[in-house]
Amino acid sequence: MSSITSGRRPGRPSKAEAGDTKAALLDAALRLFAQKGYAGTSIRAIAREVGLSESVLYAHFAGKQAIYDAAMSLAGPQAADVALDEAPDEPAAFVESFAARLLAAWDTPRSRQVMSLVSRDGLIHDETLAAGIENVLGHLAEVFARWQSEQRIRTDLGSPDDLAYALLAPIAHARLLWLHGEATQAQRERARDRIQAHAALFARTLTR
């Protein structure tokens, strides 16, 4: 297809091509970050990993921090917001759906590489990660507060903030232990079993 019929100027990549390049750069960066750490990975190394020049990389990302931020937005705690938005508004079903969707989002090659990155480079207390977690806890607490006011869940287990932390913490702990870049199939299955069992117990306790 010519540039005239496609609506593009000669030499300019399509949106699909640009998107593919950006995704390839992000995946390459995550692989290198997981192997060598954030500080040990250069912009040049990321570009070379996919056979591109540094100038092409800078056309998509302002630098390493921008790549890290993009990785966290796709595979960090922000994934929990998607799980929240798509969960049903029935307490027991909500809890199990939330856990299942979070597991699906975090048990991907990209997400597991992000966990290796934050663990390897001591970024577990990074402000971006912490802010994402606090945001999720806040949204969960809002849901639990509404259900308590509607008398749809027990009120003797703790405050909405307590319930939010009690639901999310074991799931995040399973991710840290068994959903990292070097996780074996057995470890990933252990994470799945633990998360599913926790969600089922939490749902029963919440509504009993």
Side-chain angles (χ1 to χ4, degrees):
M1 182 182 292
S2 71
S3 61
I4 295 176
T5 58
S6 66
R8 293 188 283 115
R9 287 183 291 179
R12 172 172 290 187
S14 67
K15 289 184 178 179
E17 289 170 342
D20 289 344
T21 299
K22 189 169 187 176
L25 287 166
L26 180 58
D27 287 337
L30 284 173
R31 284 195 302 272
L32 292 174
F33 287 161
Q35 294 168 8
K36 301 179 179 180
Y38 180 85
T41 300
S42 67
I43 288 292
R44 177 177 296 180
I46 296 169
R48 286 181 174 177
E49 182 77 2
V50 289
L52 298 172
S53 65
E54 292 178 56
S55 61
V56 173
L57 185 150
Y58 281 117
H60 295 279
F61 297 102
K64 282 202 301 181
Q65 183 63 46
I67 296 174
Y68 173 78
D69 291 342
M72 294 308 299
S73 69
L74 292 174
Q78 290 86 340
D81 275 338
V82 176
L84 279 168
D85 291 340
E86 297 177 352
D89 189 33
E90 190 282 317
F94 171 94
V95 168
E96 297 199 41
S97 173
F98 173 74
R101 291 178 183 276
L102 204 48
L103 175 62
W106 283 348
D107 188 18
T108 66
R110 184 178 283 171
S111 291
R112 294 196 300 273
Q113 286 169 341
V114 166
M115 183 48 57
S116 288
L117 167 61
V118 298
S119 300
R120 178 189 179 111
D121 275 28
L123 297 172
I124 202 72
H125 301 298
D126 177 76
E127 290 182 4
T128 301
L129 183 60
I133 292 171
E134 289 299 322
N135 182 61
V136 174
L137 288 172
H139 288 168
L140 276 173
E142 290 174 2
V143 174
F144 290 137
R146 176 168 59 82
W147 285 343
Q148 283 187 338
S149 69
E150 296 169 354
Q151 298 184 337
R152 298 171 65 187
I153 60 174
R154 293 170 58 181
T155 59
D156 61 330
L157 296 175
S159 69
D161 287 338
D162 294 333
L163 294 177
Y165 188 81
L167 173 59
L168 185 61
I171 300 174
H173 182 254
R175 182 189 192 191
L176 179 64
L177 290 180
W178 302 304
L179 294 178
H180 49 78
E182 295 76 37
T184 64
Q185 184 62 36
Q187 288 174 315
R188 292 169 59 199
E189 290 174 359
R190 184 170 179 79
R192 181 174 301 276
D193 291 343
R194 288 286 190 178
I195 290 172
Q196 290 176 339
H198 165 65
L201 175 62
F202 192 94
R204 291 195 303 272
T205 304
L206 192 66
T207 57
R208 185 169 58 193

